[in-house]
Amino acid sequence: MAPGTRQPTIKEVAASAGVSPMTVSRTLAGGVNVRPDLQAKVLAAVKELGYFRNENARSLRPGQASGLIGVAITNLGNPYYGNFALGVEEVAAKHGKRIVLGNTGEDCGREAQLVADFIGRQVEGLVVVPSGGAAEHLRADRLGDTPIVLASRQVAGLDVDTVLLDDVGGAYQGTLSLLESGHTRIGFLGNVPSVSTGQRRYIGYEKALAERGISPDARLIQRDQQDVEAARSAMERLLDLPDAPTAIFSANNRNTIGALKEIGRRIRSGAGATGFPAIVSFDSFELSEMMPVPVTVIDSDARQLGREAAELLFARLQAADSHGPSRMIELPVTVSMADR
Amino acid sequence: MAPGTRQPTIKEVAASAGVSPMTVSRTLAGGVNVRPDLQAKVLAAVKELGYFRNENARSLRPGQASGLIGVAITNLGNPYYGNFALGVEEVAAKHGKRIVLGNTGEDCGREAQLVADFIGRQVEGLVVVPSGGAAEHLRADRLGDTPIVLASRQVAGLDVDTVLLDDVGGAYQGTLSLLESGHTRIGFLGNVPSVSTGQRRYIGYEKALAERGISPDARLIQRDQQDVEAARSAMERLLDLPDAPTAIFSANNRNTIGALKEIGRRIRSGAGATGFPAIVSFDSFELSEMMPVPVTVIDSDARQLGREAAELLFARLQAADSHGPSRMIELPVTVSMADR
DNA sequence: CTGTTAGCGCATTCAC
DNA sequence: GTGAATGCGCTAACAG
């Protein structure tokens, strides 16, 4: 095709095939009630001209759905959310829908923009991992009638379908396993409490301690680390305490990696490979079995989380029920010593 | 949107505000030539009704761009490509465009579908990490006038803008560093040669060997592993050779992780932590400094790769030159001992 | 400054 | 089986 040309339209295909636009439309829609010889002519013209049906114009017609599901995640660079998106896509594909994926970068403003754009592009539904700030823009009545499902994190006061992990239970079990090994001084590394996972995992940790009559020691609790370097630095502070913890509960992948990096740093400066705290990590990571200290992993299936969120959305779409009572699902997690 | 309900339209907003649709349109477009009091009325009605401008209808008008860039990657679950997509998005945002992201899963058919859908949705340009199979559907003349940039991998016979890493040079340098340490039996772990990175990295490996007068030993070369388990198994075969390699060049992240897992397995079965081959890995990975064997990493910046690909695309879009001679960029890589 | 007209690409409805 | 008319939501161009 020559420079400066537009995408060919259905009219041009029709002209080229010597039929009316309707015959082209019908042929592309499956060919019911079109003579085979005309279909062949149309398909030849389509190929010849490099015609693609304009999906935007198509979805303009009333009753025609856009075929799109909007997915907003917080961090594309995190494989957990990448796999989550794959799970959503898998279910969407099963229903003949495509996903449009956007990254919020944990920024509430970008999230609002993204959601507005999704709606402007006529998505049929939304799957959002909320960034944790204000969430006015996610309220059902601000979304037109577009159904939304939250995943991984909940938003206080937002009464919409939500899929979470069993954060409290996982953190509880993980902490309990440390207590059962005899640890009493257990450090906590976590992300900001304004994110619901941070909040919920802390609750599980505290609950296990409480059952053993241990009240949390504020000096052992570091819960503001959003990235690996902050986590490493928090671990450094814990290890330097006069009465350092003998075990660490890390509430997510980023904190676990940071903690392990600090341990590695000390080993390489000649500290020897012993005497470091045992670690329980909420979220798995590759090569956990290769670490110089044993790591117990609380694992969840990101892809399954994505699938469940999408299923919840499609259930609502099929029920044509965008305002029914909201549902909440908690997915189980598995606690296991890193495979070694 | 749930079947049965509609998003409010510009007409309804106009009616609610007591103005004409054009006044609404103008207000939403920035408000030039609209009295402030009418603007206020319009904005109030917009908020009241929860109106979102229909971007699909908007892009139907001639001259109105869709504001979308289509991005197709091979594996969303791989953080490398996640970060790549972030780089594309960053540059797109700078130009006021949004990205639509799709996952091909290394499947050529899905890639073709995805690209067709992107064009059907009137994307202004495409950034594709090609899956490696046949690529008829990526030829410029099959894409209408939509410009395309390939990233990370090239496709033989496809003369379009491409951004690659310095695969050959990186592999050459990495292999050379092993040769300079005195290794002569250097194993190769890589992905399938039909993917251009696999091909190019092998060439660099071979080139370094040739300079030292070493001809590749077929028994040391395993180049069909696309996932971690296959890589581990390939490493197992290498280690079990009567004359096992003293060093390994691993051509990508998946192969490196697999190789290390096999080493870990042997250490845990009591093999002791010495006597394993030195490893050079094309692609970095987290916690590489914690490995029981030293790992040299050939690193590249996925995000920068995404940025460069996007810049190439926007250069072409702005030049309104979708058919000029194609350009090829090779990004440098850094070779460094894992920071330890 | 504001409103009316017209048409973007497509598919539903109704004629033939 | 096929085509002509019509309108989806929006905005350029023009009229007032």
Side-chain angles (χ1 to χ4, degrees):
Chain A
M1 186 176 310
T5 41
R6 280 172 13 275
Q7 294 280 353
T9 74
I10 197 170
K11 280 188 194 166
E12 297 168 48
V13 174
S16 166
V19 297
S20 80
M22 265 321 296
T23 299
V24 178
S25 176
R26 282 194 260 257
T27 300
L28 264 35
V32 286
N33 287 348
V34 183
R35 272 185 0 235
D37 59 320
L38 287 189
Q39 288 193 44
K41 270 193 199 169
V42 167
L43 293 176
V46 163
K47 195 164 184 186
E48 158 80 15
L49 296 177
Y51 169 75
F52 293 87
R53 187 162 59 180
N54 184 329
E55 294 296 330
N56 290 347
R58 190 170 143 79
S59 73
L60 200 57
R61 303 301 319 281
Q64 295 283 345
S66 67
L68 295 178
I69 302 297
V71 181
I73 63 181
T74 53
N75 181 7
L76 250 181
N78 183 337
Y80 189 85
Y81 292 115
N83 280 301
F84 168 80
L86 284 177
V88 177
E89 191 195 36
E90 188 181 311
V91 173
K94 201 180 71 185
H95 291 266
K97 309 293 181 187
R98 204 171 285 293
I99 67 169
V100 196
L101 187 57
N103 191 69
T104 65
E106 301 281 4
D107 176 336
C108 193
R110 272 196 60 63
E111 180 180 291
Q113 275 186 356
L114 207 51
V115 165
D117 186 75
F118 282 162
I119 294 182
R121 305 220 182 255
Q122 312 304 107
V123 297
E124 297 172 43
L126 293 165
V127 176
V128 176
V129 178
S131 65
E136 279 305 294
H137 57 282
L138 297 181
R139 281 180 33 209
D141 60 338
R142 298 272 278 96
L143 255 35
D145 258 320
T146 313
I148 184 172
V149 174
L150 302 186
S152 181
R153 305 167 176 181
Q154 63 189 344
V155 174
L158 204 58
D159 181 37
V160 299
D161 289 346
T162 306
V163 188
L164 301 175
L165 299 180
D166 180 12
D167 297 295
V168 177
Y172 170 80
Q173 281 180 63
T175 308
L176 203 60
S177 78
L178 290 171
L179 290 164
E180 281 168 353
S181 307
H183 295 284
T184 55
R185 292 188 57 74
I186 303 175
F188 181 94
L189 294 174
N191 51 343
V192 293
S194 66
V195 169
S196 79
T197 49
Q199 183 63 22
R200 288 158 53 88
R201 291 173 193 180
Y202 181 76
I203 290 171
Y205 161 83
E206 206 174 24
K207 183 177 157 209
L209 292 186
E211 277 188 9
R212 297 294 171 116
I214 299 173
S215 55
D217 178 342
R219 289 168 312 152
L220 298 188
I221 292 168
Q222 303 279 340
R223 51 189 308 206
D224 284 306
Q225 303 84 245
Q226 292 284 57
D227 60 62
V228 169
E229 175 48 27
R232 190 205 56 72
S233 165
M235 181 67 167
E236 185 171 11
R237 287 193 295 279
L238 289 184
L239 293 179
D240 283 341
L241 286 176
D243 196 5
T246 64
I248 299 285
F249 176 83
S250 164
N252 66 21
N253 175 296
R254 296 295 82 188
N255 275 280
T256 304
I257 303 292
L260 287 166
K261 277 186 174 284
E262 176 59 18
I263 290 177
R265 207 173 62 92
R266 291 180 183 226
I267 291 177
R268 287 195 303 283
S269 4
T274 58
F276 289 107
I279 293 185
V280 169
S281 167
F282 208 119
D283 290 346
S284 63
F285 58 101
E286 268 186 338
L287 298 176
S288 57
E289 78 273 22
M290 309 287 281
M291 294 301 115
V293 297
V295 180
T296 295
V297 168
I298 302 165
D299 200 5
S300 61
D301 186 339
R303 194 152 176 170
Q304 185 60 24
L305 186 67
R307 283 194 209 100
E308 296 277 352
E311 292 289 8
L312 220 45
L313 183 65
F314 281 105
R316 203 165 273 272
L317 284 173
Q318 278 160 7
D321 154 36
S322 55
H323 292 287
S326 67
R327 281 184 290 172
M328 147 98 81
I329 293 179
E330 276 199 10
L331 298 185
V333 297
T334 61
V335 181
S336 57
M337 185 65 96
D339 104 74
R340 50 190 303 156
Chain B
M1 184 169 32
T5 39
R6 268 177 29 271
Q7 295 279 357
T9 75
I10 197 169
K11 278 188 194 166
E12 296 169 48
V13 174
S16 166
V19 298
S20 79
M22 263 322 290
T23 298
V24 177
S25 176
R26 281 195 262 257
T27 300
L28 264 35
V32 287
N33 288 349
V34 182
R35 266 180 10 229
D37 59 320
L38 287 189
Q39 288 194 45
K41 271 193 199 167
V42 167
L43 294 177
V46 163
K47 196 165 184 184
E48 160 80 15
L49 297 176
Y51 170 74
F52 291 88
R53 186 162 61 180
N54 184 329
E55 295 296 330
N56 291 347
R58 192 169 142 78
S59 74
L60 200 56
R61 304 299 323 286
Q64 295 282 347
S66 68
L68 295 178
I69 302 297
V71 181
I73 63 181
T74 52
N75 181 7
L76 251 181
N78 184 337
Y80 189 85
Y81 291 116
N83 280 302
F84 168 80
L86 283 177
V88 178
E89 191 195 37
E90 189 181 310
V91 173
K94 202 179 70 184
H95 290 266
K97 308 293 181 189
R98 204 171 286 292
I99 66 169
V100 194
L101 188 56
N103 190 68
T104 65
E106 300 280 3
D107 175 337
C108 194
R110 273 196 57 64
E111 180 179 291
Q113 274 186 355
L114 208 51
V115 165
D117 186 76
F118 282 161
I119 294 181
R121 304 215 184 258
Q122 312 304 108
V123 297
E124 297 172 43
L126 293 164
V127 176
V128 176
V129 178
S131 66
E136 280 303 295
H137 56 282
L138 297 180
R139 279 179 35 207
D141 61 338
R142 297 273 277 95
L143 257 33
D145 249 345
T146 314
I148 184 171
V149 175
L150 301 186
S152 181
R153 305 167 176 180
Q154 63 189 344
V155 175
L158 204 57
D159 181 37
V160 299
D161 289 346
T162 307
V163 189
L164 301 175
L165 299 181
D166 180 13
D167 298 296
V168 177
Y172 169 80
Q173 281 180 62
T175 308
L176 203 59
S177 77
L178 291 171
L179 290 164
E180 280 169 354
S181 307
H183 295 285
T184 55
R185 293 186 59 73
I186 303 176
F188 181 94
L189 295 174
N191 51 343
V192 293
S194 66
V195 170
S196 79
T197 49
Q199 183 62 23
R200 288 158 53 88
R201 291 172 193 180
Y202 181 77
I203 289 171
Y205 161 84
E206 206 174 26
K207 183 177 157 208
L209 292 186
E211 276 188 9
R212 298 293 172 115
I214 300 173
S215 55
D217 179 343
R219 289 168 312 152
L220 299 188
I221 293 168
Q222 302 279 339
R223 50 187 309 205
D224 284 306
Q225 306 83 244
Q226 291 284 58
D227 60 63
V228 169
E229 175 49 27
R232 190 205 57 72
S233 164
M235 181 69 166
E236 185 171 12
R237 288 194 294 279
L238 289 183
L239 292 180
D240 283 340
L241 286 176
D243 196 5
T246 63
I248 300 286
F249 175 83
S250 164
N252 66 21
N253 175 295
R254 296 296 82 190
N255 275 280
T256 304
I257 303 292
L260 287 166
K261 276 186 173 287
E262 176 59 19
I263 290 177
R265 205 173 63 93
R266 291 181 182 226
I267 291 177
R268 287 195 304 283
S269 1
T274 58
F276 289 106
I279 293 185
V280 169
S281 166
F282 209 118
D283 290 347
S284 62
F285 58 100
E286 269 187 336
L287 298 175
S288 58
E289 78 273 21
M290 309 288 281
M291 294 302 116
V293 298
V295 180
T296 295
V297 168
I298 302 164
D299 200 5
S300 61
D301 186 339
R303 192 152 177 169
Q304 184 61 23
L305 186 68
R307 283 194 208 101
E308 296 276 352
E311 292 290 8
L312 221 45
L313 182 65
F314 281 105
R316 203 166 273 273
L317 284 174
Q318 278 160 8
D321 154 36
S322 56
H323 293 285
S326 66
R327 280 184 289 171
M328 147 97 80
I329 293 179
E330 276 199 10
L331 298 185
V333 297
T334 60
V335 180
S336 57
M337 185 64 96
D339 100 73
R340 54 190 300 155

